[in-house]
Amino acid sequence: LLRAVLAFARSLRQTVPGLTALALAVSVASAAVEGVSTLLLTPLLLAVGVDMAGSAGRIASGVTSLAQAAGLGGSLGALLAVYVASVAMLALLKRWQSVLALTVEHQYVAATRARLFDAVVHASWRFERTQRRADLAYALLHQADRAGAMTFHALFGTAGALAAIAYVAIAVAVSPLMTAGTLVVGALVIWLQRHVAHGARGHGERLLDESRQLYANLTDRVQALRLVKMLGLEARESHAVAVQAQAVAAGHVAAARLHSGARAGQEIG
C-alpha cells in the first residue's frame, strides 16, 4: 500500500507539479489560519467572563500579549475584529483550496487519459489481440476518473491532516495528559477496526471488477444489438443485463453499509 501511495505521489508531482505544490501550500496556510482562529477564541472567552484557569488561561494571556505586541491591542473589540478577519481569510483559503484541488484533479485525469491512450495506440499487435475493446474503453473513461477522484481526496486528506495536527498541538498545550489519553483511545479504535478496513478493501476490489464486467457486457451487447433482434433474444438479453446490474447495485449498497458501520464505530469509540 505504501509503495502504491508513493508511486501515485510521484505521478502527481510529475504530471501537475506547479499546481500540486500550490495546493499543498494553500492547505498549509489554511491549517495555520484555522489554528490561529482557534487560539483567538481563548482570549475572547476570557474577555466575556469565562473562567479559564491553568494552561488555557496562560494561552489566553499569551495570545493577548502577542496581539498587543503586534499593535492590534488587547481589547475585546480588537480581538473580535482579528478573529472575524481570520475566519474570513480561512473561508477564502478554503475556497481557493477547493478550486485548486478540482483543477489538479481534472488536469491529472486529462493527462492520465492521454498517456493511457498513447500507450494503447503504440502497443504491440499481440497486446491488441488479447484485450477486449470494452476493457480498454473502461480504463480510458472510468479508471482515469477514479484516479482523478483519488487526487482530489488525497489533497483534501492532506489538508485535513494538517488541520488535525494544529488542533492536536493546541490540545496538548491545554491538557497534555487528556490529549495523550484521547490519542491512545483513537489509535485503539482504529486498530480494533483494522479487519473492517481489510474487508472493505477486498469488497471494493470485487465491486470494481463487477463494474468493469458490467460495462464490458453492456458494450458487447449494444454492438450485437442487430443480431439479438434478428434472433429474437431481446427478452433474454434484457434479463441478463438486469440481473448483472442488480448485482452491482447490491455491491454498492453493501459498500455503503461497510462505510457507515466503520464510521459509526469510530464515532462511538
Side-chain angles (χ1 to χ4, degrees):
L1 179 60
L2 180 60
R3 186 178 300 175
V5 171
L6 293 176
F8 171 72
R10 285 194 298 270
S11 174
L12 187 60
R13 184 189 62 192
Q14 294 168 0
T15 304
V16 277
L19 279 176
T20 301
L22 181 58
L24 291 175
V26 172
S27 298
V28 172
S30 177
V33 173
E34 192 166 357
V36 169
S37 62
T38 302
L39 285 173
L40 283 170
L41 284 174
T42 54
L44 288 174
L45 293 173
L46 185 63
V48 297
V50 177
D51 184 20
M52 303 187 71
S55 299
R58 288 193 295 272
I59 291 174
S61 300
V63 172
T64 303
S65 300
L66 287 175
Q68 291 174 342
L72 300 174
S75 65
L76 177 60
L79 292 173
L80 186 59
V82 175
Y83 176 74
V84 171
S86 67
V87 170
M89 183 182 296
L90 180 60
L92 292 174
L93 285 172
K94 285 188 176 296
R95 178 187 179 278
W96 192 14
Q97 179 185 353
S98 298
V99 172
L100 284 172
L102 286 170
T103 304
V104 171
E105 174 188 352
H106 290 296
Q107 290 200 6
Y108 185 76
V109 168
T112 300
R113 192 168 281 149
R115 285 200 307 268
L116 182 57
F117 185 78
D118 183 70
V120 170
V121 169
H122 291 90
S124 64
W125 283 107
R126 178 179 299 178
F127 175 82
E128 293 285 344
R129 288 195 301 268
T130 58
Q131 299 296 317
R132 286 198 301 181
R133 298 295 182 267
D135 290 340
L136 295 176
Y138 183 84
L140 286 165
L141 291 172
H142 297 282
Q143 294 293 70
D145 285 335
R146 283 172 56 84
M150 182 178 177
T151 301
F152 181 84
H153 291 304
L155 290 174
F156 263 84
T158 301
L162 291 172
I165 291 172
Y167 281 118
V168 169
I170 295 171
V172 169
V174 173
S175 178
L177 186 60
M178 185 174 293
T179 303
T182 303
L183 291 175
V184 169
V185 171
L188 180 60
V189 170
I190 294 174
W191 182 79
L192 290 174
Q193 287 196 315
R194 67 192 187 282
H195 64 284
V196 177
H198 180 73
R201 181 179 179 183
H203 183 81
E205 291 174 352
R206 292 191 299 272
L207 182 58
L208 178 61
D209 185 64
E210 290 175 0
S211 299
R212 181 183 61 80
Q213 290 294 337
L214 175 61
Y215 180 85
N217 288 337
L218 285 173
T219 303
D220 293 341
R221 282 182 163 89
V222 169
Q223 291 176 349
L225 197 56
R226 291 183 179 179
L227 180 61
V228 169
K229 286 183 171 293
M230 289 173 58
L231 298 176
L233 300 176
E234 294 93 338
R236 191 191 74 174
E237 293 296 293
S238 296
H239 177 72
V241 169
V243 169
Q244 193 172 16
Q246 284 295 331
V248 173
H252 281 290
V253 172
R257 287 199 184 99
L258 283 172
H259 175 74
S260 59
R263 185 172 181 176
Q266 291 173 358
E267 291 178 351
I268 293 171

